[in-house]
Amino acid sequence: MSIISKVLYRTMISAGGILEKKFNKYTLNSKSVNEEVLFKIINKNKKCKYGEKYNFSSIKSINEYKEKVPITDYSAYEQYINEMLKGEKNILISDEVEYFGHTSGTTGKQKLIPVTKKSREVGSKYMALLIERFAYNNLKKQWNYGRGLMLADTVMTTYSDGGVPICSATSGGMESIKNILPKIYTSPYEVMKIKDKNAALYLHLLFALEDRNLTYISGVFISNVLDALRILEDKNELLVKDIRRGSINRNLNIDDETRKNLNSYLKANAGRADEIEKEFSKGFRGICRRLWPKITYIAAVTGANFSIYDDMVDYYTESLPIYSPAYAATEAMIGVNPYISKIRYVVIPDTVFYEFMPIGEGNKDNPKTYCIDELKVDEMYEVIVTNYAGLYRYRLGDVIKVVDYYNNSPEIEFLYRKNQVINMVSEKTTEEHLISSIDKTMKELKLSLIDYTTLADNTITPGRYVFYFELNKEISKDKIKEIERVLDLELQKANLAYGRFRKNNKLSCISINIVRKNTFDNIKKFLISKGVSKSQIKIPRVATNKKDILRILNDNRI
């Protein structure tokens, strides 16, 4: 562990402590802080095209803002964003666009979201400092100041006609701190620029294995961490050889210039190679604790649709704590998690202006929305944001539940994406229903799931749900029938409405398709080829309208 790295981490945690005090002050005064955000935004942009259209200069209260500015979705901005892509100024905002962040496209086509220096910085301080402070607060007794393995990328996919970069939000954030990355993370900056997903993961692991004092493993999503740990198991012999020789094997899909640059960071290390090889020979259950004796936690978003990966990660980590640090999207940094033992997020008052729409209001012409201080515990809401980068009363499409208050700011759980609900006959089966039912089915039948997706099938009457499962071993046709029976019963228990429609014969029993090994990895590679950041990939849980993904799935059915 270098002295510079240790000093840098101590400085970050100290700065995080200062930010924590501000955060506590903001959450105590959440109403006034959030109202101030709104008026900063509309006053700044009152002379841009959108601000003049809705007469921002005349708005003097939150109620007037709600009356004069409509609730929107992405379709309301496409024309404006197309103008901005061509280099037009003062369209949605008066600030310069730093880059256009593209979303993961899980629930539809990829969206291009303007990002400004202000909109990035207002959230990045929490990502860079406060979540590190909260992790430290929870793990003080085990804490050491070693570097982490960060599974992130900085791939710039393209540029707009006006010369502005188009990339993932993660890429934009990493690019802005590239000079300090080697001091806090084990991977050289060049690794984060590699396009090939598995090659990048291999190299992340190679450089992390060199550092016996690794403190944590971090990925945007827990699925990113699991992908890396599977590479660790699959490529363990090659990793040992590369560490022993101090050079990257010729089979890895990287260009010669990148190989040369990365080889310059490596030195032959037979001692460490022997140590790693010995641990690999003992098997891969709990391998992380044996390879890195000082490792303390995993940092990655989990819960909701990601929770199916937790048990698989636990196999490799011997149940290291998984800290789900933040609730964020390309459009907004929404919440941070002060707790390592539970997955909930405190809404941050100073990043965007919030409105929360009760679920029952979503289809009304004039839906009622509530402000940050008006929410009720145990109620569910759709999140609406006004941000510093040109989105006004914008429906994120996320549904959350208020579970408590932190000072005067709500603590929330993320439940599901609105478009990730199956709703064939008004049963409204959510990701939460699916995950719970699948998890119980796999445990009852002693099966290990790699990944899954589902779709609504109306080719038969009554309709049914079709699941695509990738398992870690082959199973018989009789076992598939057993999965269908058990999973259907579990879904009926999880979603009582689904159960009623099954009993009334308005829905047929589910159908299971088993797909070949690596099918979902191939789906991820396909999504990357379409411009999705490696660190932002999410498997769509409902693939009804995903023709390309369905083609891959059906081509790989066993």
Side-chain angles (χ1 to χ4, degrees):
M1 181 192 315
S2 76
I3 294 174
I4 294 174
S5 295
K6 192 170 183 177
V7 168
L8 189 54
Y9 266 115
R10 285 186 181 276
T11 303
M12 288 169 64
I13 289 168
S14 178
I18 296 168
L19 185 57
E20 184 181 9
K21 290 178 182 177
K22 288 184 179 179
F23 178 72
N24 286 332
K25 181 180 177 182
Y26 293 158
T27 52
L28 277 169
N29 301 284
S30 63
K31 180 181 179 179
S32 60
V33 170
N34 203 229
E35 185 173 4
E36 185 179 345
V37 168
L38 173 63
F39 284 99
K40 281 181 181 177
I41 292 169
I42 61 176
N43 288 334
K44 177 85 170 175
N45 299 309
K46 61 188 177 184
K47 292 185 178 179
C48 71
K49 188 173 184 178
Y50 198 89
E52 288 182 343
K53 179 177 181 179
Y54 292 104
N55 201 7
F56 282 4
S57 60
S58 71
I59 295 172
K60 305 301 179 189
S61 70
I62 290 174
N63 284 337
E64 280 187 34
Y65 179 65
K66 291 181 180 183
E67 288 168 6
K68 293 185 177 180
V69 180
I71 291 174
T72 60
D73 58 23
Y74 186 72
S75 64
Y77 299 95
E78 287 184 284
Q79 178 184 334
Y80 297 108
I81 289 172
N82 285 337
E83 292 177 40
M84 294 164 75
L85 287 166
K86 293 173 184 175
E88 297 292 328
K89 309 291 184 184
N90 291 308
I91 304 300
L92 290 171
I93 45 174
S94 59
D95 284 346
E96 292 288 323
V97 177
E98 195 171 73
Y99 64 89
F100 289 95
H102 57 61
T103 64
S104 63
T106 308
T107 59
K109 70 177 182 179
Q110 280 187 292
K111 305 176 183 75
L112 294 179
I113 306 299
V115 177
T116 65
K117 182 180 180 183
K118 175 69 173 179
S119 72
R120 176 177 58 79
E121 289 182 345
V122 77
S124 63
K125 64 179 182 285
Y126 293 108
M127 291 297 290
L129 299 174
L130 190 58
I131 62 175
E132 189 78 26
R133 179 69 186 195
F134 282 146
Y136 171 78
N137 288 349
N138 282 272
L139 297 164
K140 281 180 184 177
K141 291 181 180 178
Q142 308 101 284
W143 197 263
N144 70 83
Y145 293 89
R147 294 182 299 170
L149 163 54
M150 169 58 81
L151 303 168
D153 67 81
T154 61
V155 177
M156 294 292 182
T157 48
T158 186
Y159 287 81
S160 74
D161 291 342
V164 181
I166 299 172
C167 61
S168 72
T170 310
S171 293
M174 283 293 164
E175 183 73 20
S176 67
I177 59 168
K178 64 182 181 181
N179 293 330
I180 67 166
L181 291 178
K183 302 295 187 295
I184 56 177
Y185 305 135
T186 51
S187 300
Y189 179 64
E190 291 90 335
V191 174
M192 298 185 183
K193 299 178 75 173
I194 292 169
K195 292 184 179 180
D196 184 288
K197 169 181 170 284
N198 288 349
L201 289 176
Y202 180 92
L203 290 165
H204 278 302
L205 289 164
L206 181 65
F207 285 96
L209 286 168
E210 295 240 298
D211 189 343
R212 196 174 186 274
N213 295 315
L214 192 80
T215 298
Y216 63 91
I217 300 173
S218 180
V220 176
F221 304 125
I222 195 65
S223 51
N224 305 140
V225 175
L226 180 59
D227 284 345
L229 295 175
R230 285 175 174 154
I231 294 282
L232 181 74
E233 182 171 7
D234 290 345
K235 304 295 183 184
N236 69 90
E237 293 180 3
L238 274 176
L239 287 163
V240 170
K241 287 180 182 177
D242 286 358
I243 288 171
R244 193 180 303 282
R245 294 178 308 184
S247 63
I248 300 162
N249 67 84
R250 300 300 304 179
N251 295 324
L252 203 66
N253 181 27
I254 55 175
D255 62 78
D256 290 341
E257 185 65 24
T258 299
R259 187 184 305 278
K260 180 182 176 182
N261 289 339
L262 291 174
N263 277 337
S264 70
Y265 298 114
L266 294 169
K267 292 181 180 178
N269 193 341
R272 180 61 175 155
D274 288 344
E275 186 178 23
I276 293 166
E277 188 173 39
K278 180 181 177 182
E279 297 306 330
F280 284 160
S281 71
K282 297 175 185 176
F284 287 84
R285 183 181 292 277
I287 188 67
C288 290
R289 290 184 188 268
R290 290 185 277 116
L291 292 173
W292 299 292
K294 294 184 179 180
I295 194 166
T296 307
Y297 67 104
I298 306 294
V301 172
T302 186
N305 59 319
F306 292 108
S307 59
I308 63 162
Y309 304 115
D310 288 358
D311 286 345
M312 293 179 263
V313 169
D314 285 348
Y315 169 81
Y316 294 101
T317 67
E318 206 174 58
S319 299
L320 277 171
I322 299 175
Y323 173 45
S324 190
Y327 168 26
T330 308
E331 298 91 339
M333 175 71 182
I334 296 167
V336 289
N337 184 3
Y339 318 106
I340 209 162
S341 60
K342 49 192 174 184
I343 305 168
R344 53 174 59 179
Y345 308 99
V346 178
V347 176
I348 307 170
D350 71 315
T351 53
V352 298
F353 175 71
Y354 302 96
E355 296 172 66
F356 297 88
M357 184 195 309
I359 295 304
E361 295 279 324
N363 295 319
K364 294 182 180 179
D365 290 338
N366 262 322
K368 185 170 179 58
T369 65
Y370 295 93
C371 292
I372 194 170
D373 61 314
E374 298 174 328
L375 308 187
K376 293 181 180 178
V377 173
D378 291 332
E379 293 292 316
M380 295 189 297
Y381 302 88
E382 183 181 344
V383 182
I384 296 172
V385 299
T386 296
N387 71 8
Y388 281 99
L391 301 180
Y392 305 94
R393 307 198 73 199
Y394 176 83
R395 297 176 72 165
L396 272 182
D398 291 356
V399 176
I400 57 92
K401 180 180 180 181
V402 178
V403 291
D404 205 343
Y405 269 80
Y406 179 100
N407 294 328
N408 292 312
S409 200
E411 283 187 6
I412 60 176
E413 290 179 353
F414 174 86
L415 295 182
Y416 58 87
R417 294 277 291 155
K418 282 182 67 67
N419 291 339
Q420 292 285 81
V421 173
I422 307 182
N423 192 30
M424 300 181 77
V425 286
S426 301
E427 76 279 16
K428 295 182 181 176
T429 297
T430 68
E431 289 175 290
E432 190 175 24
H433 295 138
L434 295 175
I435 292 290
S436 170
S437 303
I438 291 169
D439 185 54
K440 289 176 180 175
T441 300
M442 293 296 135
K443 285 177 179 173
E444 180 176 336
L445 299 180
K446 295 181 172 56
L447 295 170
S448 181
L449 180 70
I450 302 297
D451 225 321
Y452 87 96
T453 191
T454 186
L455 59 82
D457 178 17
N458 284 305
T459 62
I460 65 167
T461 302
R464 64 182 176 179
Y465 297 0
V466 174
F467 287 84
Y468 292 85
F469 285 165
E470 183 181 329
L471 303 172
N472 74 340
K473 63 180 182 181
E474 293 183 13
I475 58 172
S476 66
K477 289 183 179 179
D478 287 343
K479 195 70 171 180
I480 294 173
K481 291 295 181 187
E482 193 176 4
I483 298 172
E484 289 173 342
R485 178 185 63 79
V486 174
L487 180 54
D488 194 71
L489 289 173
E490 291 296 343
L491 270 173
Q492 292 182 49
K493 294 176 192 174
N495 181 4
L496 298 180
Y498 176 84
R500 286 196 300 273
F501 289 120
R502 283 284 292 117
K503 289 179 175 66
N504 294 336
N505 201 34
K506 292 184 178 179
L507 287 170
S508 295
C509 183
I510 64 169
S511 174
I512 302 289
N513 292 319
I514 304 297
V515 296
R516 295 184 183 91
K517 185 180 178 182
N518 295 324
T519 295
F520 281 89
D521 194 49
N522 289 332
I523 289 172
K524 291 174 184 177
K525 289 175 182 175
F526 168 77
L527 293 172
I528 292 167
S529 75
K530 295 297 181 183
V532 179
S533 163
K534 296 188 296 295
S535 57
Q536 263 195 322
I537 290 175
K538 292 178 275 189
I539 294 294
R541 295 306 175 207
V542 180
T544 304
N545 299 314
K546 303 283 184 179
K547 292 180 181 178
D548 290 323
I549 290 175
L550 286 172
R551 176 183 52 77
I552 296 170
L553 290 164
N554 288 319
D555 286 349
N556 285 278
R557 285 170 56 184
I558 296 174

